[in-house]
Amino acid sequence: MNINIIQQLLDRISNLIRAEMRTELIGHGLQPVQFDALYYLSICNRFSNTPKAVTEFLGLTKGTVSQTIKVLETKGYVEKLADSNDKRITHLIMTEKGRDLLGAYFPSTILLDACSDSEGGSTAFDAALLQQQLTLLLASIQKQHRYRSFGVCKCCKYHQHVNDGYVCGLTQLPLTADDITLICVEHQTLTKQK
């Protein structure tokens, strides 16, 4: 195993996807970082759609995220909504226009083509195995460096099934069927029972 080669391969794949994204988004006046924020908002739950969570997920500065959100809001891709319980908290809600844009360009065409080619074409890689290995790599990086996992709600130690529904054990708030399928900034990995 050569870590340098692994990093070079991951960097090159990321650069190819970003180059495709830049080309596609130029007509919308957007940069890839703005699309990344929009993507995050499409997969996070209602507890995690804040500027602070976007900042943490993307690993960017507050200033960069603030400008990113401003562009998305100005172009009509997101709306800001004050929290009903705490007016200091702002939620970012993706608009229909934002969902349409995301649906048009995610996932990447070049990635879709490469993975579909692997399913029966000439490419000799197993896309399912690649997904599994990348998931394990990400989990290892997050654990070793104490990064938040941003995992799916239903796989969280705080997720509780009660009566006919679900509750977040951290917030004590009810969870919808949609909430439990989305990622959360407060996610804590389940510990294995011995």
Side-chain angles (χ1 to χ4, degrees):
M1 173 180 69
N2 186 325
I3 297 298
N4 289 336
I5 291 174
I6 292 172
Q7 182 167 348
Q8 289 169 359
L9 291 169
L10 290 171
D11 282 345
R12 183 64 181 137
I13 292 167
S14 295
N15 287 336
L16 290 171
I17 292 170
R18 286 240 180 250
E20 176 194 29
M21 195 61 55
R22 272 191 293 278
T23 302
E24 299 292 343
L25 295 175
I26 208 159
H28 300 280
L30 293 176
Q31 295 294 319
V33 67
Q34 293 151 348
F35 191 79
D36 291 345
L38 199 60
Y39 170 71
Y40 169 74
L41 292 172
S42 77
I43 62 170
C44 72
N45 66 17
R46 62 191 163 104
F47 305 111
S48 306
N49 62 354
T50 64
K52 182 179 179 193
V54 173
T55 300
E56 196 163 340
F57 183 82
L58 296 178
L60 300 171
T61 65
K62 287 195 292 186
T64 299
V65 170
S66 176
Q67 291 302 310
T68 294
I69 292 167
K70 187 180 290 186
V71 168
L72 292 173
E73 186 180 23
T74 300
K75 293 187 176 290
Y77 296 116
V78 298
E79 296 174 346
K80 289 183 180 176
L81 181 67
D83 188 271
S84 58
N85 297 321
D86 187 345
K87 299 300 181 198
R88 297 171 297 175
I89 299 173
T90 300
H91 294 279
L92 304 169
I93 310 301
M94 191 169 22
T95 64
E96 189 67 35
K97 182 178 177 182
R99 282 189 283 284
D100 289 346
L101 178 73
L102 189 66
Y105 299 112
F106 190 88
S108 159
T109 303
I110 62 172
L111 189 57
L112 272 174
D113 291 346
C115 289
S116 65
D117 190 37
S118 76
E119 293 174 357
S122 60
T123 306
F125 79 92
D126 182 337
L129 180 60
L130 176 62
Q131 177 183 334
Q132 180 184 34
Q133 293 299 302
L134 289 172
T135 300
L136 292 172
L137 177 62
L138 175 61
S140 178
I141 291 169
Q142 289 170 328
K143 182 178 179 183
Q144 289 178 5
H145 297 279
R146 296 190 176 120
Y147 295 138
R148 289 186 187 259
S149 64
F150 283 91
V152 175
C153 177
K154 67 182 174 185
C155 301
C156 176
K157 77 175 190 177
Y158 298 123
H159 176 78
Q160 299 173 359
H161 185 84
V162 292
N163 301 326
D164 294 334
Y166 308 97
V167 171
C168 174
L170 180 65
T171 65
Q172 297 303 309
L173 294 172
L175 299 166
T176 67
D178 285 338
D179 284 335
I180 68 169
T181 64
L182 300 170
I183 66 171
C184 183
V185 67
E186 300 297 344
H187 180 270
Q188 294 289 318
T189 304
L190 285 167
T191 54
K192 291 190 170 115
Q193 301 293 327
K194 293 184 178 185

